[in-house]
Amino acid sequence: MSRIGKQIIEIPEKVTVTHKDDTVTAKGPNGERAVNLPEGISLEINDNVITVIRANETKSVKSKHGMIRSMINNAVNGVHEGFKKTLIIEGVGFRAELKGTRLVLSLGFSHPILVIPPDGIEFQTPTQTSVVISGSDKQLVGEVSSKLRKLRPPEPYKGKGVRYEGEVIRRKAGKSASK
């Protein structure tokens, strides 16, 4: 049995989970998330606890068991607390600012980069060199933060660029002087 798939999911207060046909819907303070259940996967909701059950032991059903449990858990956590990632911007003249809900990045190019957030994503700039991406969909938060990082990935000599908070950039030695 899948180690992740057999774990239970606790439903926090202020979150309601409904199961209708092949769709699980979680509603909470941060919105609403829905997860479609594949064939062979079902679930039980008892006393604020969700248990994901698989119908048989075929390889295709076994491979989806843990993934569906994680997706339901992420939906429940997303509507309750939400997810966020922080990006750090390093470099002389590199900065980020908000104009309304849009993010304007100056990353050393000849032009500023305007980023329009997709539905369900919110940008914050606590300082000029950090950007916080938050939302209720874990996959979308990760995807948007990855796209922002790809605009100017950190380089190994000076560490200039956009990196995740806590990410360690392996530095290389520069040119050495010849004698």
Side-chain angles (χ1 to χ4, degrees), residues 89-105:
I89 302 171
E90 285 188 27
V92 177
F94 290 15
R95 71 177 130 263
E97 65 176 304
L98 276 179
K99 290 193 176 176
T101 59
R102 299 173 178 200
L103 183 67
V104 179
L105 298 170

Side-chain angles (χ1 to χ4, degrees), residues 79-100:
V79 298
H80 182 247
E81 297 173 356
F83 296 101
K84 65 180 176 178
K85 286 201 177 226
T86 304
L87 297 175
I88 307 296
I89 302 171
E90 285 188 27
V92 177
F94 290 15
R95 71 177 130 263
E97 65 176 304
L98 276 179
K99 290 193 176 176

Side-chain angles (χ1 to χ4, degrees), residues 122-168:
E122 183 180 316
F123 293 130
Q124 297 171 345
T125 53
T127 64
Q128 286 186 339
T129 58
S130 66
V131 177
V132 178
I133 300 123
S134 58
S136 64
D137 187 356
K138 186 175 186 178
Q139 181 179 353
L140 188 60
V141 169
E143 185 179 336
V144 170
S145 61
S146 173
K147 285 181 180 178
L148 290 180
R149 185 183 182 277
K150 283 182 184 176
L151 293 173
R152 179 70 84 164
E155 52 97 12
Y157 297 102
K158 292 185 179 178
K160 291 172 32 172
V162 181
R163 64 178 172 87
Y164 296 112
E165 185 179 47
E167 180 182 8
V168 177

Side-chain angles (χ1 to χ4, degrees), residues 10-177:
E10 294 186 19
I11 304 172
E13 293 181 22
K14 300 180 184 175
V15 175
T16 58
V17 177
T18 57
H19 179 296
K20 185 176 182 184
D21 298 329
D22 287 339
T23 305
V24 179
T25 306
K27 293 180 185 176
N30 289 343
E32 181 177 333
R33 305 281 324 135
V35 177
N36 292 324
L37 296 177
E39 189 175 318
I41 302 287
S42 61
L43 52 98
E44 255 177 35
I45 302 174
N46 293 328
D47 301 328
N48 290 337
V49 172
I50 302 173
T51 308
V52 180
I53 303 163
R54 61 180 182 219
N56 53 40
E57 297 296 316
T58 62
K59 188 173 184 178
S60 65
V61 173
K62 286 168 68 174
S63 66
K64 296 173 188 167
H65 188 206
M67 179 192 67
I68 292 299
R69 187 258 174 213
S70 293
M71 290 174 68
I72 295 169
N73 188 43
N74 288 341
V76 170
N77 289 338
V79 298
H80 182 247
E81 297 173 356
F83 296 101
K84 65 180 176 178
K85 286 201 177 226
T86 304
L87 297 175
I88 307 296
I89 302 171
E90 285 188 27
V92 177
F94 290 15
R95 71 177 130 263
E97 65 176 304
L98 276 179
K99 290 193 176 176
T101 59
R102 299 173 178 200
L103 183 67
V104 179
L105 298 170
S106 300
L107 297 177
F109 298 115
S110 62
H111 59 282
I113 299 167
L114 178 68
V115 181
I116 301 170
D119 291 338
I121 294 294
E122 183 180 316
F123 293 130
Q124 297 171 345
T125 53
T127 64
Q128 286 186 339
T129 58
S130 66
V131 177
V132 178
I133 300 123
S134 58
S136 64
D137 187 356
K138 186 175 186 178
Q139 181 179 353
L140 188 60
V141 169
E143 185 179 336
V144 170
S145 61
S146 173
K147 285 181 180 178
L148 290 180
R149 185 183 182 277
K150 283 182 184 176
L151 293 173
R152 179 70 84 164
E155 52 97 12
Y157 297 102
K158 292 185 179 178
K160 291 172 32 172
V162 181
R163 64 178 172 87
Y164 296 112
E165 185 179 47
E167 180 182 8
V168 177
I169 305 301
R170 294 185 71 193
R171 301 304 257 294
K172 292 183 178 179
K175 291 182 182 179
S176 59

